[in-house]
Amino acid sequence: MGGRMAEQRIQENGQQVQDINQLLKVRREKLAALQESGKDPFAITKYDVTHHSQEIKDNFDALEGQTVSIAGRVMSKRVMGKASFGNVQDLQGDIQTYVARDSVGEEAYADFKKYDVGDIVGIEGEVFKTKTGEISIHAAKVILLSKSLQILPEKYHGLVNTDIRYRQRYTDLIMNADVKKTFVMRSKIISAIRRYLDGQGFLEVETPMLVSNAGGAAARPFETHYNALDEDVKLRISLELYLKRLIVGGMERVYEIGRVFRNEGLDTRHNPEFTLMELYQAYTDYNGMMELTENMFRHVAEEVCGTTLIPYGDAEIDLGKPFARMTMTEAVKKYAGVDFDEIKDTDEAKKIADEKGVHYEERHKKGDILNLFFEEFVEEHLVQPTFITDHPIEISPLTKKKPDKPDYVERFELFITCREMCNAYSELNDPIDQRERFKAQEEAFAAGDEEANHTDEDFLNALDIGMPPTGGIGYGIDRLVMLLTNSPAIRDVLLFPTMKTLGKENQ
């Protein structure tokens, strides 16, 4: 019985492939016929668009009876003898078109009847409303602007296969209106951030992507070889060290929005190339960065979403009220029941970790273990906006020490929906201390930490020249977009996420 069913499925799949191949062949034959008759759509170089679909709907009272020209993709078509209805999708949405033989002419109507779903057309005609009340365009002229030689997914079921959606984002954007909306919002979010920072006196700059020393974050870089200079170089993992050089140079408020690259795994929160924004402001500290962050998040939410109450999954995130604040030690004490202020040294920290089942490496020190406790017991509770402050010095090589607590630094991370949204410091500007921190990072690298920083002599030289007290912060732009668009995975907010090459998925 099972064998017969399997054989039947193979036959059905084979028939389906054969049917699709036949349909594809027909489309190419239609194109050849058009070209032979002097109507090659690919020879057309432009089409004057006067309006878009939603614009027509929003301004129907003013446009009723007026002639408009739209262009877009045919998403459905109903041929009914001497007249046909079609649905055309453009940037703003879709609109119904009414194409009648008596209006466009016999030859043009015969051509229109042969158009396929997926074809791109230009339609000129009058705006009207059908008997059922649907705003439409009564076509006077129809022209084929591009022939689709591929078959779109069936409209009713849409495109739901996530692997195909990510690999063929162009098809995803055609078939799923919410996807297009997400990426329109992404653009608006980044524009709103720029407007806010520009209004605060920040200057947008650009720094190198190919660097000899990829520092500023705990991450493994991608490496390549620069043939012209015969040198090994890396793709940047951070924007930090070059932006600080600009602070040294007297540019008191700078920011950059750009791609960074980290040779790490793929999951719902991580993609090896992602968009990072870092900003640095002279003469302030991490408290100033907290104030800026709260104000900017509220500003962007209000401008793009129209509210500071943001739905995300089953939660409603309140960006309007003051963000909560806890030190990392306080957070671990609250959620793990362990007070690291009472732990004397690394040996005692490791003993507590063993008791609590927290895995650590031999090279880890007390501060590293505090951070492991935070990741294990605290992050999952931080749904509403919460600043976690005062990190251990072991995990913060570029940050100023707390004057009254030198084992900790003036640093914070903002968590929302259990995810880190940004990371900020009172920047370390003491070149002697910074050299010692780099030395400790080199020792960590030698001990097996592949994400440790390396000594950057030019950056140390810049600090020797003198950097003012500075506050700095890095924002994961993709995670902010995820929050404001209610997207569960980072791939949903990247137009072209990293995917394994087809044919290698199972290798």
Side-chain angles (χ1 to χ4, degrees):
M1 180 70 177
R4 288 200 302 272
M5 291 179 65
E7 183 179 348
Q8 182 180 357
R9 282 196 298 270
I10 291 170
Q11 291 174 346
E12 289 173 351
N13 290 337
Q15 181 62 45
Q16 185 179 31
V17 170
Q18 185 177 350
D19 291 345
I20 291 173
N21 288 338
Q22 181 60 32
L23 290 172
L24 295 175
K25 181 183 177 184
V26 168
R27 290 195 178 211
R28 280 162 172 75
E29 289 172 348
K30 288 181 180 180
L31 173 62
L34 287 167
Q35 292 170 331
E36 288 171 9
S37 62
K39 299 175 182 178
D40 184 358
F42 299 124
I44 297 172
T45 58
K46 62 174 291 188
Y47 183 80
D48 292 327
V49 175
T50 65
H51 295 77
H52 285 84
S53 57
Q54 193 59 47
E55 180 186 3
I56 293 170
K57 294 176 181 178
D58 291 343
N59 298 281
F60 173 74
D61 291 342
L63 291 173
E64 185 178 14
Q66 300 296 311
T67 298
V68 298
S69 295
I70 67 161
R73 191 179 300 275
V74 176
M75 297 303 292
S76 65
K77 194 176 68 162
R78 302 186 304 280
V79 177
M80 299 177 293
K82 299 179 182 180
S84 301
F85 284 96
N87 202 275
V88 174
Q89 177 178 288
D90 62 13
L91 173 68
Q92 295 181 353
D94 57 67
I95 192 165
Q96 181 172 266
T97 60
Y98 175 69
V99 183
R101 185 188 66 182
D102 293 344
S103 298
V104 300
E106 278 198 35
E107 183 178 351
Y109 186 65
D111 288 342
F112 176 78
K113 289 198 294 182
K114 296 176 183 177
Y115 292 171
D116 292 304
V117 169
D119 288 351
I120 296 174
V121 299
I123 294 181
E124 179 182 325
E126 288 188 4
V127 177
F128 78 108
K129 191 177 285 187
T130 65
K131 293 178 181 178
T132 59
E134 184 167 357
I135 295 170
S136 308
I137 298 173
H138 188 148
K141 297 179 182 178
V142 180
I143 184 171
L144 182 64
L145 301 174
S146 181
K147 181 67 185 169
S148 175
L149 302 179
Q150 186 57 271
I151 299 169
L152 291 176
E154 195 270 310
K155 180 67 176 175
Y156 179 78
H157 295 100
L159 179 61
V160 295
N161 183 298
T162 54
D163 188 73
I164 295 176
R165 285 183 54 227
Y166 297 144
R167 290 184 188 279
Q168 298 182 16
R169 185 66 84 184
Y170 42 89
T171 308
D172 192 24
L173 290 166
I174 293 167
M175 301 306 301
N176 296 317
D178 287 344
V179 171
K180 184 183 289 185
K181 180 181 177 183
T182 292
F183 288 105
V184 170
M185 284 191 68
R186 180 187 175 103
S187 179
K188 290 180 178 179
I189 289 164
I190 294 173
S191 295
I193 290 171
R194 283 193 165 103
R195 280 191 293 274
Y196 178 80
L197 292 177
D198 293 347
Q200 298 294 312
F202 283 84
L203 184 69
E204 184 173 10
V205 298
E206 294 174 306
T207 61
M209 290 189 181
L210 286 173
V211 296
S212 58
N213 186 348
R220 291 178 60 187
F222 288 94
E223 301 182 12
T224 187
H225 186 75
Y226 192 179
N227 292 333
L229 298 179
D230 193 23
E231 287 184 358
D232 291 333
V233 291
K234 301 175 179 66
L235 287 169
R236 66 185 181 186
I237 60 173
S238 165
L239 314 174
E240 179 167 349
L241 299 185
Y242 281 96
L243 291 176
K244 285 183 179 178
R245 286 167 166 88
L246 300 181
I247 296 292
V248 170
M251 301 174 76
E252 294 182 1
R253 298 187 182 202
V254 294
Y255 76 95
E256 180 174 6
I257 300 173
R259 286 281 180 156
V260 297
F261 309 87
R262 298 182 181 180
N263 201 346
E264 58 188 19
L266 295 138
D267 58 32
T268 57
R269 304 184 190 188
H270 298 91
N271 195 72
E273 58 173 308
F274 62 97
T275 302
L276 181 66
M277 181 179 80
E278 293 197 32
L279 64 86
Y280 292 84
Q281 179 180 340
Y283 310 113
T284 191
D285 62 3
Y286 75 144
N287 292 302
M289 293 295 99
M290 275 189 258
E291 182 180 354
L292 183 149
T293 298
E294 279 201 49
N295 291 338
M296 187 179 75
F297 272 51
R298 288 193 193 106
H299 171 86
V300 173
E302 287 173 348
E303 182 173 320
V304 178
C305 304
T307 178
T308 56
L309 294 174
I310 307 299
Y312 191 82
D314 296 330
E316 184 177 68
I317 305 303
D318 189 349
L319 298 177
K321 66 181 182 182
F323 294 2
R325 301 187 184 192
M326 280 191 292
T327 68
M328 184 176 283
T329 302
E330 290 170 344
V332 168
K333 183 177 179 180
K334 177 177 180 179
Y335 292 108
V338 177
D339 186 352
F340 270 75
D341 283 338
E342 300 297 320
I343 294 176
K344 299 181 181 64
D345 53 29
T346 296
D347 288 341
E348 190 172 335
K350 288 182 176 180
K351 182 179 178 183
I352 294 292
D354 291 336
E355 293 173 1
K356 292 286 188 177
V358 175
H359 175 73
Y360 57 86
E361 297 178 25
E362 187 58 35
R363 62 182 174 82
H364 282 152
K365 298 179 181 179
K366 174 186 169 182
D368 298 300
I369 295 171
L370 168 60
N371 187 54
L372 292 172
F373 267 78
F374 174 79
E375 292 173 350
E376 180 73 24
F377 295 105
V378 180
E379 286 189 12
E380 64 182 349
H381 299 285
L382 305 179
V383 177
Q384 294 298 325
T386 305
F387 288 120
I388 298 295
T389 68
D390 302 351
H391 294 52
I393 195 170
E394 290 89 344
I395 63 168
S396 311
L398 298 163
T399 316
K400 275 194 173 184
K401 297 175 185 176
K402 290 183 67 66
D404 58 339
K405 211 171 182 182
D407 288 343
Y408 296 85
V409 297
E410 293 190 349
R411 173 183 174 186
F412 74 78
E413 293 172 291
L414 172 63
F415 284 83
I416 306 176
T417 64
C418 312
R419 296 182 180 128
E420 176 200 339
M421 304 297 289
C422 62
N423 183 23
Y425 311 152
S426 295
E427 302 297 334
L428 179 59
N429 62 342
D430 178 347
I432 298 171
D433 189 359
Q434 183 63 79
R435 185 173 289 278
E436 289 300 312
R437 305 280 192 96
F438 277 142
K439 181 180 177 182
Q441 286 288 294
E442 296 283 9
E443 291 171 354
F445 181 79
D449 184 358
E450 294 181 340
E451 297 184 347
N453 281 223
H454 294 283
T455 304
D456 188 326
E457 290 293 346
D458 183 71
F459 176 65
L460 288 170
N461 184 62
L463 292 187
D464 278 338
I465 290 172
M467 186 174 83
T470 298
I473 190 165
Y475 299 90
I477 295 297
D478 306 306
R479 292 186 183 181
L480 176 57
V481 175
M482 288 169 65
L483 172 66
L484 296 182
T485 60
N486 197 3
S487 298
I490 193 170
R491 290 183 176 187
D492 295 324
V493 299
L494 298 175
L495 278 167
F496 301 102
T498 302
M499 304 286 288
K500 193 160 189 176
T501 304
L502 280 172
K504 294 185 177 181
E505 299 94 330
N506 299 318
Q507 292 182 10

